[in-house]
Every structure is written in structure tokens, then in C-alpha cells.
Amino acid sequence: MSAMPRKSRLNLPKLELGPGSIGQRLSGVRRERGYTQVELAEKIGILQNLVSAYERDQLRLNAEMLARFAMALEVSSDQLLGLKTPPNGGPKPSLKILRRLKRIETLPITQQKTLFKTIDTFLKAAGM
């Protein structure tokens, strides 16, 4: 028969960990970087269903996994924990966008110009 864990008698102040849970921040950074769960899992060396479980807060990140996610996503562990906000430089460009830009660069100049005009028209209509 195993003993039930006892409730802590410590009266610790609540930590202000920023908006959302660790899993939500992990998911947000992963998406911001343009990785799928499968790609991130491969980069770290774990299974996709584990990435999903961490993002849904079904599993708690231990120190080693926190470090692995932070290194793979090129952010600080403090940022994933919610102790620090992203640096003033803003978010890093999404891998999805960077991949598309590389493909655009292979197009002939005339097609690039047409595509950029379309993008500019769309952004102007969106008020950006």
C-alpha cells in the first residue's frame, strides 16, 4: 500500500507566469517557428504524441525536456515557462514563410513581381 501525498504546509506566493499555460506557450512558439508537431518531435528525438501531450498540458515538462524544447525552438527556457517575454526584436520569422520565400526566389523575376503585387494588394485591402 503506497502512502498518499501530503498537502504542503508551505504558503508560497503564486507565481506570475504570463498568459496561458506552458503547453500553450510551447504550442504558440512551435507554430510561430513554422514547425508541425511531427517536425518538432523529430528534431528533439521524441514521438509526435508526446509533443501533443506536452502542448495540451497532459504531461509536465521536466528540466531536460524543457531544455530540449527551448534549444529546438531557439528560445530561452524562461520564455517557455512564462518568466520572460520574447526579446524586443519580436518573434523570429516563421519557417513556413521562409520556405515559401526560398521558393519565390527561384521564380523568374516577372513572376516574382506579379506575386509581390498580389501580396501588396491583399495587405493593403487588409489595412496593413
Side-chain angles (χ1 to χ4, degrees):
M1 192 189 280
S2 62
M4 295 291 292
R6 286 184 280 161
K7 186 175 178 176
S8 174
R9 291 184 217 159
L10 298 175
N11 189 16
L12 298 173
K14 185 174 187 224
L15 286 174
E16 295 298 324
L17 295 177
S21 67
I22 293 172
Q24 290 170 331
R25 283 188 292 278
L26 176 62
S27 175
V29 172
R30 174 186 57 79
R31 291 174 187 194
E32 186 179 277
R33 298 292 193 265
Y35 289 111
T36 64
Q37 287 183 346
V38 171
E39 291 169 331
L40 182 57
E42 288 174 357
K43 190 169 183 169
I44 292 175
I46 62 174
L47 300 172
Q48 175 273 329
N49 63 342
L50 290 174
V51 174
S52 176
Y54 284 119
E55 289 185 357
R56 289 181 286 129
D57 295 308
Q58 290 180 329
L59 291 176
R60 289 186 185 211
L61 282 173
N62 63 33
E64 180 182 346
M65 288 309 299
L66 176 64
R68 289 179 186 274
F69 277 112
M71 288 170 37
L73 295 169
E74 299 179 23
V75 296
S76 72
S77 55
D78 282 354
Q79 187 176 335
L80 287 179
L81 289 172
L83 297 171
K84 277 189 178 176
T85 56
N88 290 342
K92 289 184 77 172
S94 160
L95 284 181
K96 287 181 183 177
I97 292 172
L98 293 176
R99 288 176 189 149
R100 287 184 174 125
L101 285 175
K102 285 181 182 179
R103 290 176 60 197
I104 290 170
E105 286 179 332
T106 65
L107 294 172
I109 296 294
T110 55
Q111 289 180 342
Q112 287 181 29
K113 287 180 180 179
T114 302
L115 181 57
F116 289 135
K117 282 182 185 177
T118 303
I119 292 170
D120 291 341
T121 302
F122 179 82
L123 293 174
K124 186 176 180 181
M128 302 180 98

